[in-house]
Amino acid sequence: MTFAELWAELLPVGRDEFTGGYRRYSWTTADAACRAWFARTATQLGLRTDCDRNGNLWAWWGRPGGMQAVVTGSHLDSVPDGGAYDGPLGVVSAFAAVSQLRSDGFRPARPIGVAAFTEEEGARFGVACLGSRLLTGAITPEAASALRDGDGVALADAMAAAGRDASGIGPDEDLLAGIGAFVELHIEQGKALADLGAVIGVADGIWPHGRWRFDFAGRADHAGTTRLADRQDPMLPYAATVLAARTSAERCGALATFAKVVAEPGAANAISSRVQAWLDARAPDEATLDLLVSQVSTAAAAAAGQHGVAVRQHRESVTPPVSFDRGLRDRLAAVLAAAGIAAPLVPTGAGHDAGVLAARIPAGMLFVRNPSGVSHSPAEHAEMADCETGVAALAAVLADLAAQ
Ligand code: GLV
Ligand code: MN
Ligand code: MN
C-alpha cells in the first residue's frame, strides 16, 4: 500500500464541505470513521489492532510485551477546521512505512507498533494530548473524568456513546514497559525546513506551553438603555486582557494567543453576562512562561476591577519543556544521513504526543517540510514527494531501531 493510496482513503473523512477544514473531534462520528479506517488499514497490512483503556489505537507487527517495541504514529483528531496533515500525516506515513518494510522483506527483531493517540488537540475536552497524558499518568483519571465538552458532556459519557467503557482510564504501565522507543513523524508547523531547503528535520525540543481559561462574570443588560457608567460589561476586561497578552508576549519573547472566546448570552443587543476566553501561551523556558501568564493574570484582574466584573482563572493543561532523548535524536540523524537524507535539527513551539511520552520513554520526532509553514488551518500543506521522502525516512528509522 502506498502513501498516496492510504492518504486518498482518509482524506474525505471529517472534512467540512464549505470550509475545507477538518472537524475530527474525539468520540464523534468523524472520529469513529477515522478509527474504522485505522482498523481496516491495519488488517489489510496483517497487523493486529487494539484499543487501550484510554481509547488510543494500536496496530502491532509482532507481539508486544517481550522485546521492547518500536512504536511510531501520531493522532487523527483535529482542531476546529484544521488541516489534513497535522496528525494524520504521521499515522498514514507509519502504515506506509510498515507496508514498505514488509514488501522489502524486512523481518523485525522487535515488535513494531503504529499508534493513533486520542484527543491530541484537546479540541473537545480542552486538555491537549489527553490520550498520551492518561497513558503516562500526566493527568489523573479523576481529573480526566471531571472534563466536560462545550455541551457539558462528560468524557466517560462521550466514550460510552462511542461504545467504549471509560472505567479503566489511567496509566498503563504494562503497555509503556513494552515500548523501547517512540518516533512521531509530523508535518512541520513552521517554515524552518523550507527556509533551510531541507525536506526532513529531526526535532530538537518543544517549548513549554499551556492553556488557561479566563471567566469574566458581569451583568446582562440592555445595549440601548443602560448608561455606559452603569454597566458591568465582561467584554471590556476581556478585550484589555487580549491586548495585555500581546504586549507581554512581545516583551518576553514568547507567544500568547486568545483564539477561543464564548460570550453569553450572545445577543447583539444585550451586554454580555459572561465571557469565557482561552489563553494559549508558549515560551522558550518555564520561567518566561510563568512570567507571561502572571502578567496576563494581573492585567485581567486590574481590568476586571475597573469594570465591576469578577474574573476567575483556570489552568486547563500545561506541558513542561521537552528535550528529546539525545541518544535517539542522534541515532535518527545518523540513520537519515546514511540514507542520504539531510535532516537538520528543528525546535518547535507546537505540542505533540511524543513530547508527553518523552517523560517516560525515549521519544523523538521527524518533521516533514511545510512550504508555507501554515498549520491549524485548511491551508496546511505538504508536497506529495516530500511526504514520500518522509515515509522513506521513517522506514529507514524503523528498520534500524527494530533490527536488533
Ligand atoms: C498542538 O498542535 C498544539 O501545539 O496546540
Ligand atoms: Mn495540532
Ligand atoms: Mn499534531
Side-chain angles (χ1 to χ4, degrees):
M1 287 157 116
T2 64
F3 175 88
E5 286 162 355
L6 291 166
W7 188 249
E9 256 191 67
L10 184 60
L11 208 55
V13 179
R15 184 169 54 195
D16 183 82
E17 60 176 303
F18 295 109
T19 64
Y22 287 85
R23 298 176 181 183
R24 293 170 174 161
Y25 311 137
S26 58
W27 309 115
T28 60
T29 316
D31 183 59
C34 288
R35 288 167 182 272
W37 167 86
F38 185 97
R40 214 169 42 243
T41 305
T43 306
Q44 282 165 10
L45 283 168
L47 310 178
R48 197 176 52 78
T49 58
D50 192 17
C51 181
D52 69 22
R53 292 188 271 107
N54 297 305
N56 304 310
L57 297 174
W58 303 82
W60 292 106
W61 180 3
R63 198 157 271 287
M67 292 282 284
Q68 289 217 304
V70 178
V71 176
T72 183
S74 188
H75 60 98
L76 294 171
D77 66 312
S78 75
V79 296
D81 279 333
Y85 296 80
D86 176 359
L89 182 65
V91 182
V92 172
S93 300
F95 281 131
V98 165
S99 177
Q100 184 181 314
L101 290 175
R102 275 219 197 277
S103 40
D104 290 350
F106 176 72
R107 297 175 70 85
R110 301 168 179 275
I112 293 182
V114 175
F117 293 99
T118 192
E119 181 86 0
E120 190 270 353
E121 299 288 7
R124 182 163 182 192
F125 290 101
V127 175
C129 299
L130 182 58
S132 53
R133 278 182 207 273
L134 277 165
L135 167 66
T136 55
I139 186 172
T140 63
E142 294 73 27
S145 299
L147 297 173
R148 299 276 183 280
D149 72 5
D151 295 323
V153 178
L155 175 65
D157 294 332
M159 287 177 75
R164 300 295 315 174
D165 175 11
S167 62
I169 61 169
D172 195 333
E173 296 301 332
D174 289 347
L175 183 51
L176 279 176
I179 303 174
F182 176 68
V183 179
E184 178 171 1
L185 178 146
H186 204 280
I187 186 165
E188 199 208 347
Q189 296 170 291
K191 275 189 70 188
L193 290 173
D195 289 347
L196 290 166
V199 176
I200 305 295
V202 173
D204 189 10
I206 302 180
W207 278 18
H209 57 280
R211 297 176 189 185
W212 290 261
R213 193 185 74 230
F214 288 77
D215 293 334
F216 297 95
R219 198 188 67 231
D221 214 330
H222 197 293
T225 59
T226 318
R227 293 186 313 164
L228 294 179
D230 294 339
R231 299 180 179 202
Q232 288 171 251
D233 184 351
M235 197 59 85
L236 299 173
Y238 160 64
T241 307
V242 174
L243 297 175
R246 169 74 187 217
T247 306
S248 296
E250 273 167 2
R251 274 204 212 112
C252 297
L255 298 168
T257 308
F258 276 97
K260 179 175 173 181
V261 54
V262 178
E264 292 173 11
N269 55 355
I271 295 158
S272 298
S273 57
R274 191 159 85 124
V275 171
Q276 281 193 311
W278 282 260
L279 168 70
D280 178 307
R282 309 184 188 224
D285 57 71
E286 274 175 310
T288 308
L289 184 64
D290 291 346
L291 177 68
L292 169 65
V293 175
S294 77
Q295 286 181 352
V296 178
S297 307
T298 305
Q306 211 181 328
H307 293 284
V309 167
V311 62
R312 289 178 65 168
Q313 187 181 324
H314 175 73
R315 188 179 108 136
E316 288 201 335
S317 67
V318 177
T319 307
V322 175
S323 196
F324 285 113
D325 184 272
R326 197 166 281 267
L328 180 58
R329 198 190 72 184
D330 292 348
R331 190 158 166 185
L332 298 180
V335 170
L336 297 185
I341 300 172
L345 275 182
V346 180
T348 180
H352 299 286
D353 292 306
V356 173
L357 290 164
R360 300 296 310 279
I361 55 175
M365 292 189 74
L366 301 180
F367 290 127
V368 172
R369 174 166 61 187
N370 174 341
S372 67
V374 173
S375 187
H376 285 184
S377 149
E380 182 181 77
H381 181 71
E383 295 296 334
M384 186 53 78
D386 290 357
C387 296
E388 282 160 0
T389 304
V391 173
L394 188 57
V397 162
L398 295 178
D400 177 72
L401 295 174
Q404 45 189 298

